[in-house]
Amino acid sequence: MVRRALLLALWTALPAWAQTPTKGTVFCCMDNGHQVCGDVLPMQCYGKGYREMSPQGTVRRLVEPPLTPEQLARREAEDRARRLEQARLRAEQRRNQSLLETYSSVADIETRRDRALEGVDQELKRAEARQAQLIKKRESLNREAEFYARRPMPSPLAAALRESDSELAAQGSVIEAKKREVEAIRTRYEQDRIRYIALTDPRGSTPPPR
């Protein structure tokens, strides 16, 4: 009775297609080196890979054994890696399409680069001119401060020196930021230029930037 109940529980746990085999189907698997077959899935085949065969011995379907936890984890990791790679390729295709829609030629890229650099260069020159003014102002304050090398410095002069230090530091930060912006523009447009050539020039040549 217990054996019959166990067989019934195992049978009901099988997929519907295994509970209702195709007419004339023979199920076979290997159990301890011996082939076991039956017109229904033998108990020895539960949890193993097996073959669905015709009465003439033709294999109709191979059913792989259930994956072990390690195999399942490896398959999930491979699936994740494949999905990430597919997402990367789709993103790259979108970037390439956007690049081709943005520029009409290599000359167009270089023209836009020069235009962008021109604007930042003008801002950099203004920042450097302002820095030169601040340096002259500081030099004048330094000369005035020399008169107080051996006596207390007036409060307004000390405050002016502190303010000069702050202005020079701030202006130096502005200049460094503009220089970094120039390099970022050059790098971005050079990358766009190289990618554009790779996408449009079948020879794969990369002429030097102007």
Side-chain angles (χ1 to χ4, degrees), residues 80-173:
R80 284 195 300 271
R82 183 173 59 256
R83 289 193 298 271
L84 288 173
E85 177 63 13
Q86 290 173 346
R88 185 192 67 79
L89 291 174
R90 287 194 297 269
E92 183 176 354
Q93 289 173 351
R94 288 194 296 270
R95 288 194 301 270
N96 291 340
Q97 184 62 33
S98 176
L99 185 76
L100 294 174
E101 293 173 353
T102 300
Y103 304 112
S104 60
S105 64
V106 173
D108 184 26
I109 297 174
E110 294 171 347
T111 298
R112 297 191 188 203
R113 177 202 61 200
D114 294 343
R115 188 182 304 130
L117 286 173
E118 182 180 1
V120 180
D121 283 339
Q122 291 176 354
E123 294 173 357
L124 179 58
K125 288 177 181 178
R126 287 194 293 269
E128 289 174 339
R130 175 57 179 164
Q131 183 185 54
Q133 293 174 352
L134 292 172
I135 290 174
K136 287 183 178 180
K137 178 182 176 181
R138 180 53 190 260
E139 290 173 348
S140 177
L141 290 172
N142 287 341
R143 287 193 296 270
E144 187 177 349
E146 290 176 357
F147 292 103
Y148 301 96
R150 298 179 181 276
R151 50 180 172 161
M153 182 180 300
S155 296
L157 178 57
L161 287 168
R162 290 194 297 271
E163 182 180 359
S164 178
D165 287 339
S166 178
E167 289 177 334
L168 282 168
Q171 199 63 25
S173 297

Side-chain angles (χ1 to χ4, degrees), residues 123-124 127 168-180:
E123 294 173 357
L124 179 58
L168 282 168
Q171 199 63 25
S173 297
V174 170
I175 290 172
E176 288 304 315
K178 292 301 175 183
K179 289 180 178 179
R180 288 194 298 270

